Structure formats: structure tokens, C-alpha cells
Amino acid sequence: MTDLKSQTPEEMTRTLMPMGEPAFRGKQVFTWLHRGVSSFDEMTNLPKSLREKLAETCVLTPPKAVCKQVSKLDGTIKYLWELGDGNCIESVLMQYHHGNTVCISSQVGCRMGCAFCASTIAGKVRDLSPAELLDQVIYTQKDSGLPISNIVLMGIGEPMDNLDSVLKFLELVNHPDGLNIGMRHISLSTCGVIPGIDRLADLGLQLTLSVSLHAPDGETRSKIMPVNRAYPVEDLFAACHRYFEKTGRRISFEYAMIDGVNDRDWQADLIAERVRGMPGHVNLIPLNDVVESPFKPSKRVAAFQKRLEVHGLTATVRRSLGGDIDASCGQLRRKAMEEQKGK
Ligand code: SAH
């Protein structure tokens, strides 16, 4: 079966031409798919015979919203989607004053093993296809009725561990005949997979790169983020500097504040030293308590922020949305999995 939705209009045309279709069909089908039709039969400007042929040869499995939770606090919506093969992923829709932002997953599970994160506890099951990445945006918009203007790749999974699909997704979601979401409205977050950062730098895309730093010193970082043993933090900062030189884009460093682990003044000083030479933005995240993890939220968030600012860095504290529906970073999917197990 052909995964038509993972294709660009040009590729769709190449798929359809051997079926005797004219070149403009590619764009027609692309537009329909990006509008979120749930069957080929809805593509009313296509000949019936073609609709039937596509239904036989191509997959079109829209994700099923098996659970939808709306926060009473701020309207944040969390979706649990069931994919064609029965696996589940989550997306979160957040309403900010600058527009509606959807946080999407890049893999079913994650194999990065960060000690404080709930998404990685059961490991990685598989990568998502470009279509499955895209569907999270299309169907979140369709179901909620809220137009989406921003995307963050900060849900379950490591985008750099599925970079081919992610890059294809970016091309699709950015396409003028589709959702047409500008690169400057997209953020991609990585735990620090250096080859991925370099590949992205070479492409010179105008998206925002977020690096989940969580500790500026190798000893602490290796303890909480196994990825640091493969890609040490010193090399990671070198890659960040290369990225800035190539793209001119400011990197955002994510920093979940953990009590007694990464919240000391000397660590703020070391962040400043390592960022020096490029504009850096440090986004301090109050740690979300994950039941299975031994880490506790730091009480030094404000002090740490001040210390960074003394060094001339921009430091913000992330506002937490959807706290009543477990929609916060690192908390996705776990509960749903537990509940499924209990069934
Ligand atoms: N794998 C990518 C994308 C996940 S983004 C990455 O690591 O960047 C999710 C963000 O939430 C990451 O910055 C991650 O480190 C952070 N996070 C994970 N668990 C968390 C927790 N318990 N509290 C706060 N932030 C957490």
C-alpha cells in the first residue's frame, strides 16, 4: 500500500501519472489530504474510478482520538491518538496570546533514556512516518476547530532519531498548497544528537532549535541524560556554536530545574561560559514530578534565573499549561499506557 500522505504534490503526481492521470491531480489530492478528509470518496473533484483505485492501493488511516482531555485551568487540550497499527501517541494543543500551538510526538516511545522523563520509560516502539507527524497537526486543528499557527516538536520521542521523517514532515507542513505553516513558527527540540544538529545547520532552515541541556557539566549531564555519554556536552556546545554561525538563529536551551542536581550557582556560571559568543536563551522549566522518578523540583528557579541574567543571558521560566490533565513535558502517554494495561 502506498503512503500517499507522506508525499509532496510532485511525488503524488509521479504516483498518479502511471495510472493515466494528468499532472494536476497531484496537487488536487495533496490539498484534499491536507484538509483532513477521512476517505478518498470525499475528494469530489476526482473521477469516481480514480477514487476507487486509490482506496484499493493507498493507505488513508486518520488517527482516532481515543481520549481527549480539556484543561479547566487554561483550555489546553490533550489528545491520545490511536494510529493505524494500534499504537498510541499524544499531541497537546496550547492556546497562547500569539496563537494556537500544537506540541507533537515524533516517535512511539523514546530510546534516549533521560532519567527524569516519563516518555522513555518503556523505550521506543517505532518511528512515526511523515504522514503520522502531519496528521497530528491536521486532526488537532480539525477536531478542536482552532486554527493552528505554531508547531513544537516537543512531544514523545527524539526528533533527531527520526530525522528523515521529520524533515519530510517540515517540507509538507510548510507547503503553500497545504497548511503553509512558516518555518519561523516551528520549533524542534533535541536532547543533543550532534549529527542531527549539524545536518539541520547545513539545511539552514529558519526554524527554532531547542536543545534540552539540563546540565552544563559532563558529570551531572551523563547521570541524568545517557545521550551525553555518546555526545559529550563540550562537543554539544561546539555543535551549537556551529549551528548559530551557519544559520544565524538563536538557540533555545531547555533546562528542567532539579533539586540539588542542576540548580547550583556554579552551574549557571558554567552555562554562561559555554554559551558565550552566541546569543542564548535559557528556558527554565519547573520540573514536573514524574511518579517513577526520584527527582524533585528545585526551589531555586528564581535565584538561578537571576544568576544567568547577571551574565547577560536571557532566561525565562516556562509557564506550565494543562497541569490538571498531565499535559506537561515528559508526562505524556505513560498514564494511558498504564490504563490500557489495566484493562
Ligand atoms: N527528545 C526531545 C524532545 C522532547 S521535548 C528532547 O529531549 O528535547 C520534551 C522536553 O521536556 C525536553 O526538554 C525534556 O528534557 C523535557 N522534560 C522531560 N521530562 C521532564 C520533566 N519531568 N519535567 C520537565 N521537563 C521535562
Side-chain angles (χ1 to χ4, degrees):
M1 296 287 265
T2 307
D3 177 14
L4 210 52
K5 213 189 274 181
S6 288
Q7 299 184 350
T8 62
E10 297 73 30
E11 287 165 339
M12 287 184 190
T13 294
R14 279 201 292 279
T15 306
L16 297 170
M17 293 249 282
M19 300 180 187
E21 293 299 324
F24 63 81
R25 284 275 186 255
K27 184 173 158 177
Q28 277 181 334
V29 172
F30 185 88
T31 308
W32 279 116
L33 288 174
H34 286 235
R35 246 185 248 168
V37 294
S38 45
S39 76
F40 289 104
D41 238 11
E42 288 175 49
M43 303 184 175
T44 45
N45 57 355
L46 263 56
K48 192 155 193 296
S49 58
L50 176 62
R51 284 185 256 158
E52 283 167 3
K53 200 183 291 171
L54 292 179
E56 278 163 26
T57 54
C58 302
V59 270
L60 201 174
T61 340
K64 238 195 312 188
V66 286
C67 178
K68 175 183 175 182
Q69 286 172 277
V70 184
S71 165
K72 290 189 187 72
L73 303 173
D74 49 47
T76 296
I77 308 176
K78 186 171 78 163
Y79 290 96
L80 179 71
W81 302 111
E82 188 182 311
L83 306 173
D85 65 354
N87 276 305
C88 287
I89 49 163
E90 291 190 26
S91 320
V92 180
L93 175 63
M94 296 158 290
Q95 301 176 50
Y96 292 107
H97 60 273
H98 62 265
N100 300 316
T101 300
V102 65
C103 173
I104 64 168
S105 299
S106 55
Q107 297 175 314
V108 180
C110 183
R111 63 187 183 117
M112 293 298 143
C114 298
F116 46 82
C117 181
S119 302
T120 195
I121 293 173
K124 179 183 110 168
V125 178
R126 69 169 174 87
D127 289 329
L128 295 182
S129 68
E132 289 168 330
L133 290 158
L134 182 68
D135 275 345
Q136 296 177 65
V137 185
I138 295 175
Y139 288 95
T140 296
Q141 177 165 282
K142 197 174 174 189
D143 182 275
S144 67
L146 298 166
I148 286 168
S149 48
N150 300 284
I151 302 170
V152 294
L153 281 143
M154 294 191 182
I156 298 162
E158 168 53 45
M160 298 295 196
D161 192 35
N162 184 21
L163 194 50
D164 287 337
S165 285
V166 166
L167 291 176
K168 190 63 181 284
F169 157 72
L170 293 174
E171 189 183 347
L172 298 178
V173 82
N174 184 232
H175 201 285
D177 296 329
L179 293 178
N180 198 11
I181 295 180
M183 284 294 170
R184 285 175 183 262
H185 294 265
I186 302 177
S187 295
L188 184 155
S189 183
T190 177
C191 63
V193 181
I194 294 176
I197 296 175
D198 282 329
R199 203 170 145 200
L200 212 55
D202 285 336
L203 293 172
L205 301 177
Q206 290 299 294
L207 53 74
T208 299
L209 178 66
S210 288
V211 171
S212 297
L213 182 61
H214 304 318
D217 58 296
E219 196 187 328
T220 309
R221 199 164 190 270
S222 287
K223 271 190 207 144
I224 55 176
M225 301 179 75
V227 67
N228 197 71
R229 293 174 215 150
Y231 302 113
V233 68
E234 297 79 10
D235 300 348
L236 175 59
F237 271 103
C240 290
H241 283 275
R242 284 197 295 278
Y243 184 89
F244 171 69
E245 270 150 38
K246 280 201 179 141
T247 64
R249 302 283 296 163
R250 180 179 83 164
I251 293 176
S252 180
F253 293 96
E254 308 296 311
Y255 204 91
M257 299 286 298
I258 311 175
D259 184 40
V261 174
N262 65 358
D263 60 351
R264 303 291 120 190
D265 280 344
W266 67 266
Q267 285 163 319
D269 299 343
L270 188 56
I271 296 175
E273 192 184 314
R274 300 208 147 154
V275 171
R276 192 168 299 139
M278 65 176 170
H281 171 222
V282 183
N283 198 9
L284 300 172
I285 313 170
L287 183 78
N288 292 306
D289 238 335
V290 172
V291 193
E292 293 91 338
S293 123
F295 302 116
K296 294 291 153 235
S298 167
K299 296 172 200 76
R300 299 198 70 248
V301 179
F304 202 81
Q305 180 184 22
K306 274 212 190 82
R307 186 94 183 180
L308 290 169
E309 283 169 351
V310 167
H311 289 289
L313 280 175
T314 310
T316 49
V317 179
R318 183 185 283 176
R319 195 163 58 99
S320 181
L321 293 180
D324 55 334
I325 54 169
D326 290 325
S328 318
C329 303
Q331 296 189 320
L332 300 177
R333 186 158 164 268
R334 191 73 193 144
K335 222 183 212 168
M337 281 174 64
E338 289 298 327
E339 278 162 16
Q340 272 179 350
K341 246 189 256 164
K343 268 184 203 159

mmCIF file of all heavy atoms in Angstrom, residues 116 212-215 224 253-259 261-263 283-288 298 301 329:
data_model
loop_
_atom_site.group_PDB
_atom_site.id
_atom_site.type_symbol
_atom_site.label_atom_id
_atom_site.label_comp_id
_atom_site.label_asym_id
_atom_site.label_seq_id
_atom_site.Cartn_x
_atom_site.Cartn_y
_atom_site.Cartn_z
ATOM 1 N N PHE A 116 14.664 11.692 34.061
ATOM 2 C CA PHE A 116 13.544 12.441 34.644
ATOM 3 C C PHE A 116 12.294 12.410 33.766
ATOM 4 O O PHE A 116 11.285 13.027 34.085
ATOM 5 C CB PHE A 116 13.974 13.909 34.841
ATOM 6 C CG PHE A 116 14.668 14.446 33.611
ATOM 7 C CD1 PHE A 116 13.942 14.922 32.534
ATOM 8 C CD2 PHE A 116 16.062 14.423 33.512
ATOM 9 C CE1 PHE A 116 14.562 15.362 31.386
ATOM 10 C CE2 PHE A 116 16.708 14.871 32.357
ATOM 11 C CZ PHE A 116 15.952 15.348 31.303
ATOM 12 N N SER A 212 17.768 20.448 24.716
ATOM 13 C CA SER A 212 17.484 20.089 26.101
ATOM 14 C C SER A 212 18.811 19.913 26.816
ATOM 15 O O SER A 212 19.454 18.879 26.692
ATOM 16 C CB SER A 212 16.668 18.799 26.149
ATOM 17 O OG SER A 212 15.425 19.018 25.515
ATOM 18 N N LEU A 213 19.231 20.944 27.534
ATOM 19 C CA LEU A 213 20.565 20.954 28.140
ATOM 20 C C LEU A 213 20.540 20.252 29.502
ATOM 21 O O LEU A 213 21.218 19.260 29.710
ATOM 22 C CB LEU A 213 21.041 22.405 28.267
ATOM 23 C CG LEU A 213 22.440 22.614 28.845
ATOM 24 C CD1 LEU A 213 23.493 21.952 27.986
ATOM 25 C CD2 LEU A 213 22.721 24.113 29.005
ATOM 26 N N HIS A 214 19.799 20.786 30.407
ATOM 27 C CA HIS A 214 19.552 20.215 31.746
ATOM 28 C C HIS A 214 20.775 20.092 32.654
ATOM 29 O O HIS A 214 20.623 19.860 33.848
ATOM 30 C CB HIS A 214 18.835 18.868 31.659
ATOM 31 C CG HIS A 214 17.528 18.925 30.904
ATOM 32 N ND1 HIS A 214 16.618 19.949 31.047
ATOM 33 C CD2 HIS A 214 16.986 18.094 29.976
ATOM 34 C CE1 HIS A 214 15.577 19.738 30.262
ATOM 35 N NE2 HIS A 214 15.781 18.630 29.585
ATOM 36 N N ALA A 215 21.967 20.230 32.107
ATOM 37 C CA ALA A 215 23.184 20.332 32.929
ATOM 38 C C ALA A 215 24.320 20.764 32.016
ATOM 39 O O ALA A 215 24.446 20.245 30.902
ATOM 40 C CB ALA A 215 23.534 19.001 33.586
ATOM 41 N N ILE A 224 22.050 12.136 34.264
ATOM 42 C CA ILE A 224 20.614 12.261 34.015
ATOM 43 C C ILE A 224 20.245 12.067 32.541
ATOM 44 O O ILE A 224 19.089 11.792 32.234
ATOM 45 C CB ILE A 224 20.053 13.616 34.543
ATOM 46 C CG1 ILE A 224 20.815 14.795 33.954
ATOM 47 C CG2 ILE A 224 20.085 13.644 36.062
ATOM 48 C CD1 ILE A 224 20.248 16.156 34.361
ATOM 49 N N PHE A 253 17.840 26.991 24.980
ATOM 50 C CA PHE A 253 18.286 25.874 25.822
ATOM 51 C C PHE A 253 17.221 25.563 26.867
ATOM 52 O O PHE A 253 16.848 26.445 27.649
ATOM 53 C CB PHE A 253 19.614 26.212 26.498
ATOM 54 C CG PHE A 253 20.760 26.329 25.528
ATOM 55 C CD1 PHE A 253 21.150 27.576 25.039
ATOM 56 C CD2 PHE A 253 21.429 25.197 25.075
ATOM 57 C CE1 PHE A 253 22.187 27.693 24.120
ATOM 58 C CE2 PHE A 253 22.461 25.305 24.152
ATOM 59 C CZ PHE A 253 22.841 26.555 23.678
ATOM 60 N N GLU A 254 16.747 24.322 26.838
ATOM 61 C CA GLU A 254 15.730 23.904 27.814
ATOM 62 C C GLU A 254 16.448 23.403 29.067
ATOM 63 O O GLU A 254 17.440 22.669 28.976
ATOM 64 C CB GLU A 254 14.859 22.775 27.242
ATOM 65 C CG GLU A 254 14.253 23.071 25.879
ATOM 66 C CD GLU A 254 13.281 24.240 25.908
ATOM 67 O OE1 GLU A 254 12.404 24.252 26.778
ATOM 68 O OE2 GLU A 254 13.429 25.146 25.070
ATOM 69 N N TYR A 255 15.928 23.788 30.215
ATOM 70 C CA TYR A 255 16.621 23.448 31.460
ATOM 71 C C TYR A 255 15.597 23.161 32.540
ATOM 72 O O TYR A 255 15.021 24.064 33.139
ATOM 73 C CB TYR A 255 17.522 24.620 31.857
ATOM 74 C CG TYR A 255 18.691 24.245 32.747
ATOM 75 C CD1 TYR A 255 19.914 23.891 32.203
ATOM 76 C CD2 TYR A 255 18.566 24.255 34.139
ATOM 77 C CE1 TYR A 255 20.991 23.558 33.015
ATOM 78 C CE2 TYR A 255 19.633 23.923 34.953
ATOM 79 C CZ TYR A 255 20.853 23.573 34.379
ATOM 80 O OH TYR A 255 21.913 23.235 35.183
ATOM 81 N N ALA A 256 15.327 21.871 32.789
ATOM 82 C CA ALA A 256 14.374 21.478 33.837
ATOM 83 C C ALA A 256 15.094 21.530 35.185
ATOM 84 O O ALA A 256 16.115 20.868 35.371
ATOM 85 C CB ALA A 256 13.848 20.076 33.563
ATOM 86 N N MET A 257 14.596 22.318 36.082
ATOM 87 C CA MET A 257 15.295 22.563 37.351
ATOM 88 C C MET A 257 15.042 21.433 38.353
ATOM 89 O O MET A 257 13.924 21.243 38.828
ATOM 90 C CB MET A 257 14.815 23.885 37.943
ATOM 91 C CG MET A 257 15.087 25.103 37.075
ATOM 92 S SD MET A 257 16.816 25.611 37.064
ATOM 93 C CE MET A 257 17.089 26.017 38.765
ATOM 94 N N ILE A 258 16.115 20.704 38.668
ATOM 95 C CA ILE A 258 16.006 19.543 39.565
ATOM 96 C C ILE A 258 16.726 19.831 40.879
ATOM 97 O O ILE A 258 17.907 20.208 40.888
ATOM 98 C CB ILE A 258 16.623 18.273 38.928
ATOM 99 C CG1 ILE A 258 16.102 18.085 37.491
ATOM 100 C CG2 ILE A 258 16.307 17.044 39.785
ATOM 101 C CD1 ILE A 258 16.753 16.925 36.750
ATOM 102 N N ASP A 259 16.021 19.633 41.951
ATOM 103 C CA ASP A 259 16.531 19.937 43.291
ATOM 104 C C ASP A 259 17.878 19.261 43.575
ATOM 105 O O ASP A 259 17.985 18.035 43.501
ATOM 106 C CB ASP A 259 15.478 19.475 44.315
ATOM 107 C CG ASP A 259 15.869 19.846 45.743
ATOM 108 O OD1 ASP A 259 16.387 20.968 45.933
ATOM 109 O OD2 ASP A 259 15.660 19.020 46.645
ATOM 110 N N VAL A 261 20.483 18.861 41.969
ATOM 111 C CA VAL A 261 21.190 18.173 40.881
ATOM 112 C C VAL A 261 21.805 19.163 39.894
ATOM 113 O O VAL A 261 23.003 19.108 39.592
ATOM 114 C CB VAL A 261 20.245 17.194 40.131
ATOM 115 C CG1 VAL A 261 20.946 16.585 38.914
ATOM 116 C CG2 VAL A 261 19.761 16.094 41.070
ATOM 117 N N ASN A 262 20.987 20.096 39.412
ATOM 118 C CA ASN A 262 21.488 21.018 38.376
ATOM 119 C C ASN A 262 21.161 22.474 38.684
ATOM 120 O O ASN A 262 21.163 23.307 37.790
ATOM 121 C CB ASN A 262 20.915 20.627 37.010
ATOM 122 C CG ASN A 262 19.399 20.795 36.955
ATOM 123 O OD1 ASN A 262 18.762 21.167 37.959
ATOM 124 N ND2 ASN A 262 18.821 20.541 35.799
ATOM 125 N N ASP A 263 20.857 22.772 39.958
ATOM 126 C CA ASP A 263 20.365 24.121 40.287
ATOM 127 C C ASP A 263 21.362 24.944 41.088
ATOM 128 O O ASP A 263 20.990 25.897 41.771
ATOM 129 C CB ASP A 263 19.021 24.013 41.028
ATOM 130 C CG ASP A 263 19.117 23.222 42.332
ATOM 131 O OD1 ASP A 263 20.176 22.611 42.584
ATOM 132 O OD2 ASP A 263 18.128 23.219 43.088
ATOM 133 N N ASN A 283 15.595 28.538 28.803
ATOM 134 C CA ASN A 283 14.200 28.396 29.212
ATOM 135 C C ASN A 283 14.161 27.465 30.424
ATOM 136 O O ASN A 283 14.368 26.264 30.287
ATOM 137 C CB ASN A 283 13.419 27.815 28.027
ATOM 138 C CG ASN A 283 11.929 28.015 28.161
ATOM 139 O OD1 ASN A 283 11.459 28.726 29.049
ATOM 140 N ND2 ASN A 283 11.174 27.372 27.294
ATOM 141 N N LEU A 284 13.938 28.042 31.581
ATOM 142 C CA LEU A 284 13.923 27.230 32.800
ATOM 143 C C LEU A 284 12.548 26.592 32.956
ATOM 144 O O LEU A 284 11.523 27.264 32.866
ATOM 145 C CB LEU A 284 14.247 28.108 34.015
ATOM 146 C CG LEU A 284 15.621 28.798 33.954
ATOM 147 C CD1 LEU A 284 15.783 29.796 35.094
ATOM 148 C CD2 LEU A 284 16.750 27.782 33.967
ATOM 149 N N ILE A 285 12.550 25.282 33.154
ATOM 150 C CA ILE A 285 11.280 24.551 33.271
ATOM 151 C C ILE A 285 11.156 24.026 34.694
ATOM 152 O O ILE A 285 12.016 23.271 35.146
ATOM 153 C CB ILE A 285 11.250 23.325 32.309
ATOM 154 C CG1 ILE A 285 11.720 23.707 30.915
ATOM 155 C CG2 ILE A 285 9.869 22.701 32.270
ATOM 156 C CD1 ILE A 285 11.939 22.519 29.987
ATOM 157 N N PRO A 286 10.123 24.440 35.408
ATOM 158 C CA PRO A 286 9.907 23.816 36.709
ATOM 159 C C PRO A 286 9.697 22.316 36.477
ATOM 160 O O PRO A 286 8.842 21.938 35.685
ATOM 161 C CB PRO A 286 8.627 24.477 37.223
ATOM 162 C CG PRO A 286 8.502 25.751 36.421
ATOM 163 C CD PRO A 286 9.104 25.444 35.079
ATOM 164 N N LEU A 287 10.511 21.488 37.118
ATOM 165 C CA LEU A 287 10.445 20.040 36.874
ATOM 166 C C LEU A 287 9.044 19.521 37.165
ATOM 167 O O LEU A 287 8.449 19.841 38.188
ATOM 168 C CB LEU A 287 11.446 19.300 37.766
ATOM 169 C CG LEU A 287 11.510 17.781 37.541
ATOM 170 C CD1 LEU A 287 12.321 17.447 36.298
ATOM 171 C CD2 LEU A 287 12.099 17.068 38.753
ATOM 172 N N ASN A 288 8.538 18.729 36.249
ATOM 173 C CA ASN A 288 7.262 18.071 36.512
ATOM 174 C C ASN A 288 7.528 16.774 37.228
ATOM 175 O O ASN A 288 8.357 15.980 36.786
ATOM 176 C CB ASN A 288 6.544 17.791 35.194
ATOM 177 C CG ASN A 288 6.112 19.079 34.536
ATOM 178 O OD1 ASN A 288 5.435 19.901 35.143
ATOM 179 N ND2 ASN A 288 6.537 19.279 33.303
ATOM 180 N N SER A 298 13.232 21.830 41.821
ATOM 181 C CA SER A 298 14.126 22.736 42.543
ATOM 182 C C SER A 298 13.358 23.919 43.118
ATOM 183 O O SER A 298 12.369 24.355 42.554
ATOM 184 C CB SER A 298 15.188 23.248 41.571
ATOM 185 O OG SER A 298 15.878 24.327 42.139
ATOM 186 N N VAL A 301 14.606 28.204 41.338
ATOM 187 C CA VAL A 301 14.383 28.646 39.951
ATOM 188 C C VAL A 301 14.650 30.147 39.792
ATOM 189 O O VAL A 301 15.405 30.568 38.905
ATOM 190 C CB VAL A 301 12.957 28.295 39.468
ATOM 191 C CG1 VAL A 301 12.738 28.779 38.047
ATOM 192 C CG2 VAL A 301 12.726 26.779 39.543
ATOM 193 N N CYS A 329 5.463 18.597 29.934
ATOM 194 C CA CYS A 329 6.620 17.916 29.370
ATOM 195 C C CYS A 329 6.944 16.637 30.109
ATOM 196 O O CYS A 329 6.989 16.603 31.321
ATOM 197 C CB CYS A 329 7.858 18.784 29.495
ATOM 198 S SG CYS A 329 7.689 20.348 28.739
#
